[in-house]
Amino acid sequence: MRRTWCIPGRSRLIDLIFSELQAIFVLIVMRTRVFILLLFLTAGAYLFWKSGDDRGGEAREEPVVSQERAREAQPRTVSEAADVALSDRVSEPDGAFEESVPPGTLENEMLVRFRSSEERRRFLEAMAGLDAELAGYIPGLNAVRIRYGDSTVRGRLLGLLPDSAFVGNNYFVLSPTLPPPVVDEGAGAYAGFGDRALRWLGVPEDNSSWGTGVRVAVLDTGTSEHPAFGGKFIPEFNFLEDFPDAISYHGHGTAVASLLAGTNGIAPGADLISLKVLDGDGAGNTFTLAEGIVEAVNQGARVLSMSLGTFGESPILEDAVNYALRHGAVLIAAAGNEGVQGLPYPALYDGVVSVTAVDANNRRAPFSNVAPEVDLAAPGIGLKAAWGVAEEISFSGTSAATPLVAGAVAALLSREPALSPAQAVEILMDNANDAGAPGRNPETGSGVINMDRVLNRDEPGIYDVALADFHLGSGDGGSTVPLQVTVQNRGTESVDDVRLGVSIDGEVREFSLGALERGEVTAAEISLPLDRLQSAEGIEIRSSVAAFGINDSRPENNGKAAILRFVAQDD
């Protein structure tokens, strides 16, 4: 029976829409400081409007809505998200599932992990007379996939197993649902990257050697011989039992691979291998994915990129993840596009790097899942990517963000061979740009990767105090909503006497933030009236930061401006 796929419902509220504006001013500690501060804020806002976003986005005034309010119209639980994904992508089997086999699993299959090879051999011999067959075997995990006739046979199989064996279900694994493409950047839209993602991340113009000597595995729908790879030979391993010649969804794997190691990818020099674990509709299963992970490691991959996931927990899949970690590989996985509070597997497993998506204005994509386990963010709206045999598309989703992080790890390993993959990930996290709520948070994890900071992390004398973000909280149901204005020291030196100025509809407030160590994040909190945020005019915010006694190396990120308001999206 053929599987079908469609896009689930979207949020009914517009998520945090605002534009980053650039501003430069010096806080004057004199009796006339308020007057001078207002003057600089006004001038800075004008310069910011003229110049655009410091990382490539066009400056615009836009409405924003708190993340908490935006989620109200989304599926609220992981189980709801799984139901939506499966109903849209995978046909249910005829008849009801037996009570012990939950929905979301492959019908009439079980996965078994044995303690010893002898136990496995005895079980397979004993089941020879039953309506059951061995459908797969992973030697590195001593795990098998059994396909059986009906629930009666299942019961008899369970009776043959030793007490030490583990029995689990084989869950469907899906590529994240593709969000609608970015067609414009008008009011209310999220800003796409096009072909500007690498420059936005601080990647130098010539990165052709990035990834050289590092084997990277893409576990997806496979890759085609697309011109984006410049004739590079990409070895492919197929773990599907029946994969049609038609490549109805082959493009997803090609798009992911092109962002990672295409000629215009972040690590074009990487030694790429492709492991086909998803079919033409972007669907696979936990056993096939576990097979792919083990094989990728056995083939020498140090970085594994997985733009896929499942909401069914499988110890066999977790065993495969641990197998990769024991062999020193790093696994990068998509946080998912269901817009829920919770992550799919393998992103949720300990040791796996979970990646979410942001737009060109540094805002978390509204479809990205949210959870404390989110680790990093990367561009994921409207990226130019390869598709099919010779096409190009505007590619969005955590599927797009994941290969950029995987490629960043490969790039760092090629430039600094003494690093382990885990150390490379730690460096990316330590040098990420703070986004969303101050510090590590469930929306963007440690922040957005910044390759310029990574490359220059050991360069002394870089002073960079940045206005990182505005973040609206949910409030306590009262008449006000908290706004956090976040500041981050992105330089390589500590700074003293950091001052923040915030203009709210022309009323200036000043904050002394004290000293900041390198990488440190702090914030000033301001209460905003809820009724003003709900009005058509909203609230105009302009803010700038400076540190006394230093020459800021990157003054373009010292300011930000936005109009904040809550806007309900029509059905």
Side-chain angles (χ1 to χ4, degrees), residues 256-535:
V256 168
S258 71
L259 292 173
L260 197 162
T263 54
N264 294 317
I266 190 170
D271 178 15
L272 187 67
I273 61 174
S274 171
L275 296 102
K276 191 181 297 183
V277 297
L278 302 178
D279 67 14
D281 293 320
N285 59 76
T286 50
F287 188 85
T288 297
L289 178 55
E291 281 187 298
I293 291 173
V294 171
E295 183 63 26
V297 174
N298 291 343
Q299 290 293 327
R302 303 180 70 195
V303 184
L304 282 67
S305 179
M306 298 176 288
S307 294
L308 44 72
T310 175
F311 286 105
E313 182 176 9
S314 167
I316 302 297
L317 178 56
E318 187 174 14
D319 284 349
V321 167
N322 291 330
Y323 180 89
L325 294 174
R326 286 197 305 271
H327 284 77
V330 67
L331 303 97
I332 317 293
N337 300 344
E338 292 79 17
V340 299
Q341 299 189 46
L343 299 182
Y345 300 97
L348 189 55
Y349 287 128
D350 290 342
V352 176
V353 180
S354 170
V355 180
T356 191
V358 295
D359 79 340
N361 286 329
N362 210 44
R363 296 172 296 174
R364 183 186 64 85
F367 50 75
S368 298
N369 294 340
V370 174
E373 294 83 6
V374 169
D375 292 305
L376 285 167
I381 296 283
L383 282 74
K384 182 179 179 181
W387 191 268
V389 177
E391 300 173 59
E392 290 182 340
I393 64 164
S394 177
F395 193 43
S396 296
T398 56
S399 285
T402 299
L404 291 177
V405 173
V409 174
L412 193 51
L413 291 175
S414 68
R415 292 175 59 88
E416 303 180 37
L419 293 175
S420 69
Q423 289 172 328
V425 170
E426 185 176 356
I427 289 172
L428 289 180
M429 291 184 177
D430 289 343
N431 293 277
N433 286 358
D434 195 70
R440 184 178 175 94
N441 62 75
E443 295 175 357
T444 57
S446 294
V448 184
I449 61 171
N450 184 330
M451 295 308 293
D452 179 60
R453 289 183 64 192
V454 169
L455 297 177
N456 293 289
R457 68 188 187 278
D458 295 325
E459 182 70 25
I462 297 178
Y463 294 93
D464 182 16
V465 180
L467 200 299
D469 213 345
F470 296 148
H471 181 265
L472 277 174
S474 59
D476 56 3
S479 60
T480 62
V481 176
L483 169 69
Q484 292 172 307
V485 182
T486 307
V487 174
Q488 183 179 26
N489 180 3
R490 296 177 181 170
T492 59
E493 305 288 348
S494 60
V495 293
D496 299 318
D497 199 11
V498 177
R499 305 291 182 91
L500 174 68
V502 182
S503 172
I504 304 174
D505 284 340
E507 178 187 346
V508 177
R509 303 184 190 184
E510 295 181 60
F511 301 87
S512 177
L513 303 179
L516 290 179
E517 298 297 322
R518 60 177 292 177
E520 186 176 355
V521 176
T522 189
E525 185 168 306
I526 302 169
S527 294
L528 301 180
L530 177 59
D531 58 347
R532 294 283 309 284
L533 289 169
Q534 293 173 330
S535 69

Side-chain angles (χ1 to χ4, degrees), residues 198 207-212 229 232 260-271:
L198 297 189
N207 68 320
S208 57
S209 65
W210 281 23
T212 300
F229 300 109
K232 176 190 297 186
L260 197 162
T263 54
N264 294 317
I266 190 170
D271 178 15

Side-chain angles (χ1 to χ4, degrees), residues 40-341:
F40 274 93
L41 282 168
T42 304
Y46 173 76
L47 289 173
F48 180 56
W49 175 77
K50 295 290 287 182
S51 61
D53 180 70
D54 65 289
R55 297 185 77 181
E58 180 183 353
R60 293 172 290 132
E61 291 185 339
E62 295 183 341
V64 302
V65 62
S66 72
Q67 302 291 339
E68 289 77 4
R69 292 170 183 270
R71 291 194 206 103
E72 290 177 359
Q74 298 280 9
R76 298 307 297 269
T77 67
V78 166
S79 61
E80 288 174 334
D83 290 344
V84 169
L86 283 168
S87 64
D88 287 341
R89 305 278 292 280
V90 180
S91 299
E92 293 287 357
D94 297 331
F97 278 103
E98 57 185 292
E99 184 177 353
S100 61
V101 183
T105 62
L106 275 72
E107 185 181 21
N108 294 348
E109 289 198 10
M110 67 168 63
L111 306 183
V112 185
R113 180 185 65 203
F114 295 93
R115 184 177 60 183
S116 69
S117 297
E118 179 61 21
E119 287 183 346
R120 172 177 49 81
R121 184 187 63 78
R122 290 176 181 174
F123 170 76
L124 294 177
E125 289 179 352
M127 81 169 198
L130 300 178
D131 182 15
E133 63 175 345
L134 176 66
Y137 169 50
I138 307 176
L141 306 182
N142 204 21
V144 297
R145 175 183 182 183
I146 303 297
R147 188 175 293 122
Y148 54 86
D150 55 34
S151 59
T152 301
V153 177
R154 177 185 174 89
R156 296 181 66 182
L157 289 170
L158 294 174
L160 296 175
L161 289 169
D163 293 338
S164 60
F166 169 83
V167 181
N169 299 307
N170 194 10
Y171 290 95
F172 285 106
V173 173
L174 307 174
S175 59
T177 52
L178 290 175
V182 175
V183 295
D184 62 58
E185 295 186 7
Y190 279 73
F193 287 92
D195 59 2
R196 297 176 291 118
L198 297 189
R199 302 294 87 81
W200 191 88
L201 288 171
V203 176
E205 186 171 347
D206 181 9
N207 68 320
S208 57
S209 65
W210 281 23
T212 300
V214 180
R215 173 153 286 194
V216 181
V218 171
L219 292 88
D220 212 286
T221 63
T223 57
S224 60
E225 295 180 6
H226 196 284
F229 300 109
K232 176 190 297 186
F233 173 68
I234 303 175
E236 188 160 273
F237 302 83
N238 183 9
F239 294 92
L240 303 180
E241 294 177 289
D242 181 22
F243 192 83
D245 293 334
I247 50 175
S248 59
Y249 194 59
H250 202 137
H252 187 271
T254 300
V256 168
S258 71
L259 292 173
L260 197 162
T263 54
N264 294 317
I266 190 170
D271 178 15
L272 187 67
I273 61 174
S274 171
L275 296 102
K276 191 181 297 183
V277 297
L278 302 178
D279 67 14
D281 293 320
N285 59 76
T286 50
F287 188 85
T288 297
L289 178 55
E291 281 187 298
I293 291 173
V294 171
E295 183 63 26
V297 174
N298 291 343
Q299 290 293 327
R302 303 180 70 195
V303 184
L304 282 67
S305 179
M306 298 176 288
S307 294
L308 44 72
T310 175
F311 286 105
E313 182 176 9
S314 167
I316 302 297
L317 178 56
E318 187 174 14
D319 284 349
V321 167
N322 291 330
Y323 180 89
L325 294 174
R326 286 197 305 271
H327 284 77
V330 67
L331 303 97
I332 317 293
N337 300 344
E338 292 79 17
V340 299
Q341 299 189 46

